[in-house]
Amino acid sequence: MKHKVKAKVKVEKRGLFGKKYVYETRTIWVDDRTYRKLKRQGKYEPITIDDMMIMDAIFDD
């Protein structure tokens, strides 16, 4: 089962003085195992895409 989780994503923006990177909050889908792990931590913190890629590599089903 998939769950929606808010995560901070690094996005490149063009500005007056060139490129800059900002973090935007976006909704992503996670699997059941990752969602339960986040809930068990108690303090829910948004996770980044980099964290999701690492978890996917570890829990490669």
Side-chain angles (χ1 to χ4, degrees), residues 4-61:
K4 280 186 178 180
V5 177
K6 291 188 178 185
K8 293 196 177 205
V9 179
K10 188 175 182 180
V11 179
E12 180 181 320
K13 298 271 184 161
R14 292 183 61 197
L16 182 61
F17 301 110
K19 299 177 189 176
K20 65 179 180 178
Y21 294 98
V22 295
Y23 286 93
E24 292 181 353
T25 303
R26 293 189 181 170
T27 303
I28 60 172
W29 291 90
V30 295
D31 60 343
D32 215 18
R33 183 183 296 169
T34 307
Y35 182 75
R36 280 186 274 132
K37 184 177 179 182
L38 290 172
K39 279 189 82 166
R40 255 188 267 130
Q41 288 176 352
K43 181 177 145 187
Y44 175 73
E45 294 180 4
I47 56 176
T48 63
I49 295 294
D50 295 332
D51 294 338
M52 284 300 302
M53 293 180 85
I54 291 170
M55 284 188 234
D56 187 40
I58 293 171
F59 300 122
D60 191 22
D61 293 334

